[in-house]
Amino acid sequence: LADEQAGFFRMVGALLAIYMCINIATVLIVIAAKWLILGRMKPGRYPLWGVQYYRWWLAQRLMGLTHMKWLQASPVIRWYLRAMGGKIGRDAIISDIEIGAIDLIEIGEGASIGQKAKLDNARVEGNQFIVGTISIGRDAYIGSSAVIEENVTIEEGAELRDLTSLPSGSRARAWEIWDGSPAKKGGMVDRASL
């Protein structure tokens, strides 16, 4: 009986090791494929259904093979996003997020991004594929289910509350609080309580 139990646990251990190796290999393949297929994304307006859109679409489908949800709020997600081309600061806390063009994302040190936030810097409007930058400053806070469109700057310590939608071209200045959909400035962060 002891031999049967030991054999069972060895088999389970081997299967877990194989599963982990497959996931690690998938992440490495997706990173390599992103750089081979898409390279570095550039901001601009592209024709919908054009070559640039197709390359981006294919890279996005491949990125879906990785389980980013398993990496959330860990140092591994910062490594993964950096490997995909993002500029991610030390000690940034990043939950399960959706990103349009990782190359054009900058997240500062100590920033915190909540669950299901959408960094929508690559989107379709009419017959155009629009790609832009998103810059999130150090110690900024992005609430759960917040949506940020392209060409947006969120400065140091600024706060986007849960369910806030910040439209294209917006700028949240340092230590401002933004709330609503569309977002409106709602005050200043109390820095004395930090």
Side-chain angles (χ1 to χ4, degrees):
L1 186 63
D3 280 345
E4 286 179 20
Q5 285 182 336
F8 173 76
F9 287 120
R10 269 197 303 274
M11 183 179 68
V12 168
L15 288 173
L16 285 173
I18 290 168
Y19 181 71
M20 290 302 296
C21 289
I22 289 170
N23 279 304
I24 291 168
T26 301
V27 167
L28 295 175
I29 289 167
V30 166
I31 291 168
K34 184 266 182 195
W35 289 106
L36 287 172
I37 293 168
L38 184 61
R40 187 164 293 281
M41 196 77 180
K42 293 182 176 62
R45 290 178 176 262
Y46 302 95
L48 186 57
W49 311 120
V51 173
Q52 186 68 13
Y53 175 78
Y54 176 71
R55 290 169 56 206
W56 171 82
W57 175 85
L58 185 56
Q60 289 291 110
R61 299 296 71 78
L62 289 171
M63 284 170 33
L65 296 174
T66 61
H67 301 287
M68 266 184 43
K69 190 172 227 160
W70 294 353
L71 308 177
Q72 65 182 331
S74 75
V76 179
I77 196 166
R78 292 192 302 264
W79 173 85
Y80 173 72
L81 294 174
R82 284 181 194 131
M84 296 295 278
K87 294 180 182 103
I88 312 299
R90 194 171 48 86
D91 296 329
I93 299 171
I94 303 168
S95 291
D96 180 27
I97 60 172
E98 185 179 328
I99 302 175
I102 294 176
D103 301 290
L104 302 173
I105 299 293
E106 186 174 340
I107 300 172
E109 290 184 20
S112 177
I113 301 178
Q115 192 79 327
K116 299 195 183 294
K118 185 172 184 179
L119 306 183
D120 199 15
N121 64 332
R123 62 187 177 89
V124 173
E125 187 176 289
N127 64 350
Q128 290 191 319
F129 175 52
I130 303 167
V131 182
T133 60
I134 294 177
S135 177
I136 299 171
R138 70 181 293 134
D139 299 321
Y141 170 78
I142 310 301
S144 295
S145 299
V147 177
I148 303 169
E149 290 186 347
E150 80 280 351
N151 301 321
V152 167
T153 301
I154 299 167
E155 295 180 3
E156 177 183 3
E159 178 181 324
L160 256 63
R161 298 246 165 107
D162 295 347
L163 302 170
T164 297
S165 176
L166 201 56
S168 177
S170 299
R171 180 179 208 96
R173 302 221 180 267
W175 307 103
E176 290 180 344
I177 297 173
W178 288 69
D179 197 7
S181 181
K184 293 184 179 161
K185 183 182 168 192
M188 300 295 284
V189 173
D190 179 16
R191 295 188 350 200
S193 66
L194 298 178

